[in-house]
Amino acid sequence: MNKVPHIEVKDLVCAYGDYLVLRDISFEIKRAEILVIMGRSGCGKSTLLKHMIGLREPAEGKVYYDGKDFTSSSEAERESMLRKFGILYQGGALWSSMTLEENVAFPLEEYTDLKRSQIHDIVEMKLSQVGLKGFQKFYPSELSGGMRKRAGLARAMALDPEILFFDEPTSGLDPISSKRLDDLILNLRDLFNTTVVVVTHELDSIFSIADQAIMLSPKEKTIIGCGNPQELIRNSGDPTVTDFLSRMGGRQPA
Amino acid sequence: MSNYPCTSQLELEENGDILVIRLMGVWEMDRNAPSFQEFVKKGDIRADISELMLEARGLEEWDSSLLFFLNQAKVWADGRSMTFNCDCLPDGLGRMMLQTQRVVDSRVEVKDPEGHPGFAEEVGKHSIRIFRDGSVFANFVGEILLSFLRLLVGKARMRWVDCFRAMQDSGPMALPIVGLISFLVGVTLAFQAADLLGDFGSEFFTPAFVALAMVREMGPIMTGIVLAGRTGAAFASTIGSMKVAEEIDALRTLGVSPLDYLVLPRVIGLSIMTPLVVIYSNALGIIGGMLVSKVKLNMPVQTYVKETFLNIDATDILFGLIKSSVFGVIIAYAGCLRGMNCDSSSTGVGRATTSAVVTSLLFIIVANSIFAVIYSIYEI
Ligand SMILES: Nc1ncnc2c1ncn2[C@@H]1O[C@H](COP(=O)(O)OP(=O)(O)OP(=O)(O)O)[C@@H](O)[C@H]1O
Ligand SMILES: [Mg+2]
């Protein structure tokens, strides 16, 4: 297998203006690995994600994909890298002036030469993967929060991306949908070798899907724990990490 | 529950160096719950007290007002390094209180709160802000131009639906209000002209006055104002809401430029549509003038029409139309700029909408003055 990590984040500093959110962020993800980013609300998980996908420029540090420098690459190179990403935003971020079908079809129309009927079929398949078959003609405003999120997921998966970024995919979903989503993520990884970066708080998800987890802390403003969650809960020296993973001691290590 | 007797809710007792506070009766927010500060101020408390103890034997009903009181008590006790003893409180109350406490404890220091800035600092900050605003305006112009170039070489992906929608909204949908306003402006102009010119016995020039004023100034300006309020505001709020919902980010990360996809169609749509609406506005203004001339000056319609066309020529009309096309671009530009720079909140969208209207009105007036200068220099 390829030795170069699929994603590498090096000495990243994230800030909004002069308000520092995160510093000294470094980690690597191998191809077909699932990384979970966790931490308390407001610690900068979404911020880190936005820096990784180039929506915000890092104050310092770099992000590499397949060993290629993403941060200082030209616009054209960046676009070709972005093509391989699928992104689910925290609020779904469906385009409100388009129906679900148009939303999911948009990336396909943009980047493939498929015929209309083919696109139609793919969209139907992707929507049924997230349990939304039959809602093609609905506008985002006519859906519930959880449904929007799932539709956003279908859109993120439309182009069979190499890397999927999920910002809290299971928040707002019922336990059954959450479980299905976890299975879907694992399947994508196993079948398509997709690398997945997931922001989540759900302990069940963390323990069932994560190969690697990193924990951010708002106080230290950096990573305070990194590794497989099963091992992290046992032998991370940091009580914050253990508390988080065991729900303040309420959950016993499996 | 309001038929409880309003008993005294607090009792104070000093027991050696322990201060005991007995909580009793009903504690409800809208029933004048006592404030700890006042309570401490009233009874003078000895300085050598080392423990604050709370009891709640006579407590009947309580809500957050009690919690608030207890928190204040704790802060007060901590401030005087007293022991705060809440062991005798009911179970739920104690737990709830610990929770409130914890939230306060885990507060993370964010930015240093800045003190009141001095006058010089305030002026400096404003200057920087104005300068920054200026560069934002200029940048956005550049971006739109680039996007337009991309469209010309066929590399931009534009959403034509948005273009047509912008045209529809600024065109057919705006006709009633533009029509009404222009008609009334025409009427007003004619009245003024008839009065003023009548003093010199030259009310015969009323049609010329109305036509020139409408075609050169009032038509474009009035249309600009209506479209700024209608269409410009709509652009700002639509794009602003898209920004808040991360829809713009979603476009960007798909490699689609929001400039090409959202801004360009609106700019193009308005720059085409505004002159067309202005023609309509001019026509209605002139009709308004005609009506007044007929009624007030008893001028036949044919004469009015003939006089009108004798006094305006193609350059006048063309000049007004070019001007209004620029106004259209300004309105779309201001609306999209404010939308794209909208703060990520619903108040942000509101502010973006307001400032889109203000910005476009300001720019329209400024542009109009520039056109007036050009006009007088070249004596068109
Ligand atoms: N656009 C912005 N401008 C300034 N500060 C911001 C902005 N967005 C986020 N922040 C700040 O950055 C910090 C991290 O925010 P972020 O949205 O990344 O948190 P999060 O970890 O994703 O939280 P949650 O789990 O609630 O989604 C917060 O303190 C927030 O105040
Ligand atoms: Mg977040």
Side-chain angles (χ1 to χ4, degrees):
Chain A
M1 253 202 128
N2 207 339
K3 273 275 153 54
V4 184
H6 200 186
I7 309 175
E8 184 180 3
V9 174
K10 218 171 183 177
D11 304 324
L12 195 70
V13 176
C14 310
Y16 291 102
D18 39 12
Y19 173 39
L20 179 80
V21 180
L22 292 167
R23 61 185 159 77
D24 300 331
I25 305 288
S26 299
F27 58 88
E28 290 179 2
I29 313 167
K30 289 201 269 298
R31 193 170 279 274
E33 236 182 15
I34 299 176
L35 172 87
V36 167
I37 302 175
M38 52 191 189
R40 304 271 299 275
S41 183
C43 68
K45 302 179 297 293
S46 302
T47 304
L48 176 56
L49 215 56
K50 280 185 188 149
H51 280 76
M52 289 176 71
I53 57 183
L55 277 177
R56 296 203 65 96
E57 295 310 312
E60 268 170 57
K62 299 226 148 133
V63 183
Y64 301 87
Y65 290 96
D66 274 328
K68 262 196 288 184
D69 185 344
F70 177 73
T71 309
S72 41
S73 58
S74 73
E75 201 155 314
E77 284 173 322
R78 212 175 241 223
E79 242 164 62
S80 75
M81 288 192 208
L82 278 174
R83 244 212 80 161
K84 299 175 188 154
F85 297 175
I87 301 155
L88 168 66
Y89 292 85
Q90 190 161 0
L94 296 170
W95 295 300
S96 45
S97 59
M98 303 186 201
T99 61
L100 278 202
E101 174 161 25
E102 288 166 337
N103 261 285
V104 182
F106 186 80
L108 294 164
E109 286 164 1
E110 192 69 9
Y111 284 117
T112 64
D113 299 322
L114 294 172
K115 282 201 280 300
R116 270 221 123 111
S117 60
Q118 287 171 306
I119 290 185
H120 178 87
D121 292 344
I122 294 179
V123 169
E124 187 172 301
M125 185 190 76
K126 299 279 171 188
L127 282 177
S128 62
Q129 272 181 338
V130 293
L132 282 178
K133 194 173 161 183
F135 287 94
Q136 277 94 326
K137 295 280 174 265
F138 281 60
Y139 281 92
S141 56
E142 298 164 335
L143 300 179
S144 78
M147 287 161 88
R148 264 178 244 173
K149 200 127 214 192
R150 283 185 278 154
L153 192 72
R155 187 180 66 186
M157 298 188 308
L159 287 169
D160 289 331
E162 285 180 22
I163 310 176
L164 277 166
F165 295 90
F166 293 156
D167 197 342
E168 302 195 11
T170 48
S171 73
L173 295 192
D174 58 283
I176 294 175
S177 308
S178 305
K179 176 75 177 60
R180 285 226 183 100
L181 193 91
D182 287 349
D183 292 344
L184 180 66
I185 292 177
L186 287 170
N187 270 337
L188 286 173
R189 193 269 302 270
D190 295 339
L191 292 178
F192 301 113
N193 269 345
T194 315
T195 307
V196 189
V197 179
V198 191
V199 169
T200 183
H201 309 284
E202 311 268 323
L203 290 174
D204 290 328
S205 289
I206 294 175
F207 283 102
S208 59
I209 61 172
D211 296 311
Q212 219 200 126
I214 59 175
M215 167 116 186
L216 303 176
S217 156
K219 227 191 280 151
E220 285 88 357
K221 295 188 185 296
T222 186
I223 300 180
I224 53 167
C226 176
N228 184 288
Q230 303 286 358
E231 286 158 25
L232 263 184
I233 192 172
R234 283 204 197 86
N235 41 25
S236 120
D238 197 316
T240 324
V241 180
T242 332
D243 278 351
F244 186 96
L245 285 174
S246 64
R247 244 183 144 203
M248 300 283 299
R251 184 188 207 276
Q252 294 310 310
Chain B
M1 254 172 270
S2 49
N3 47 6
Y4 275 111
C6 201
T7 51
S8 98
Q9 294 161 302
L10 276 175
E11 235 175 57
L12 197 72
E13 187 187 312
E14 286 177 24
N15 194 348
D17 54 358
I18 302 180
L19 179 70
V20 183
I21 298 180
R22 291 213 184 83
L23 308 165
M24 298 176 304
V26 182
W27 286 70
E28 273 171 7
M29 280 206 232
D30 49 359
R31 293 186 117 222
N32 232 341
S35 126
F36 187 78
Q37 256 83 20
E38 275 169 34
F39 163 70
V40 170
K41 241 183 270 159
K42 249 188 281 164
D44 19 35
I45 288 149
R46 293 208 322 269
D48 58 340
I49 302 253
S50 70
E51 184 174 331
L52 180 66
M53 186 165 146
L54 291 150
E55 267 187 21
R57 224 167 287 144
L59 194 61
E60 290 168 40
E61 298 262 338
W62 56 275
D63 61 10
S64 300
S65 60
L66 179 58
L67 231 42
F68 185 68
F69 180 88
L70 289 177
N71 266 327
Q72 283 185 322
K74 172 132 172 52
V75 171
W76 180 80
D78 287 351
R80 302 176 151 218
S81 46
M82 291 181 189
T83 325
F84 183 77
N85 185 345
C86 58
D87 296 341
C88 304
L89 291 183
D91 204 25
L93 189 55
R95 236 182 305 134
M96 188 80 118
M97 181 151 171
L98 271 180
Q99 232 164 37
T100 333
Q101 216 66 47
R102 195 137 29 131
V103 174
V104 175
D105 283 346
S106 68
R107 191 175 41 188
V108 187
E109 239 3 273
V110 195
K111 264 182 218 163
D112 292 337
E114 288 160 19
H116 275 293
F119 176 71
E121 193 181 340
E122 199 73 77
V123 171
K125 272 192 182 154
H126 264 286
S127 322
I128 293 175
R129 201 170 312 141
I130 289 171
F131 188 74
R132 239 186 241 153
D133 268 2
S135 70
V136 168
F137 284 130
N139 266 339
F140 202 62
V141 172
E143 281 183 59
I144 292 180
L145 284 180
L146 280 181
S147 168
F148 192 64
L149 285 183
R150 277 199 295 271
L151 182 76
L152 289 186
V153 298
K155 265 174 69 182
R157 199 195 136 115
M158 203 173 100
R159 195 166 145 85
W160 286 103
V161 183
D162 274 1
C163 186
F164 293 133
R165 212 173 277 165
M167 287 171 80
Q168 193 184 13
D169 185 65
S170 59
M173 312 266 284
L175 289 188
I177 180 77
V178 170
L180 179 67
I181 290 180
S182 308
F183 179 78
L184 291 179
V185 166
V187 167
T188 318
L189 282 176
F191 268 121
Q192 293 296 331
D195 267 0
L196 211 70
L197 297 174
D199 290 347
F200 305 101
S202 31
E203 59 276 348
F204 191 66
F205 289 112
T206 302
F209 179 81
V210 172
L212 280 178
M214 264 333 276
V215 168
R216 281 190 190 172
E217 296 294 337
M218 294 322 276
I221 290 268
M222 285 300 149
T223 308
I225 288 175
V226 172
L227 292 191
R230 268 185 66 94
T231 316
F235 288 176
S237 66
T238 309
I239 295 182
S241 320
M242 289 184 74
K243 172 115 190 267
V244 173
E246 298 179 307
E247 290 175 40
I248 307 249
D249 287 349
L251 279 179
R252 252 194 204 122
T253 48
L254 207 62
V256 175
S257 155
L259 260 302
D260 298 0
Y261 197 68
L262 296 173
V263 176
L264 200 56
R266 291 178 162 81
V267 173
I268 292 179
L270 266 199
S271 67
I272 295 173
M273 209 60 199
T274 317
L276 299 182
V277 180
V278 166
I279 293 179
Y280 166 81
S281 156
N282 292 342
L284 276 189
I286 289 171
I287 291 175
M290 180 152 54
L291 195 78
V292 173
S293 305
K294 176 92 187 117
V295 173
K296 195 169 162 168
L297 305 177
N298 218 352
M299 186 184 281
V301 172
Q302 284 102 322
T303 322
Y304 187 92
V305 173
K306 209 175 106 214
E307 277 306 304
T308 299
F309 283 108
L310 264 181
N311 285 289
I312 51 172
D313 52 22
T315 23
D316 288 318
I317 298 176
L318 203 65
F319 179 76
L321 294 188
I322 290 173
K323 194 157 88 169
S324 53
S325 187
V326 171
F327 290 175
V329 172
I330 287 176
I331 293 164
Y333 162 83
C336 296
L337 171 77
R338 294 309 188 187
M340 294 289 285
N341 291 330
C342 163
D343 283 344
S344 294
S345 66
S346 41
T347 41
V349 176
R351 259 201 310 270
T353 313
T354 314
S355 78
V357 176
V358 174
T359 311
S360 40
L361 290 185
L362 177 71
F363 282 11
I364 283 176
I365 301 293
V366 170
N368 194 48
S369 321
I370 295 174
F371 271 109
V373 172
I374 295 175
Y375 195 88
S376 77
I377 289 177
Y378 290 98
E379 296 271 338
I380 303 173

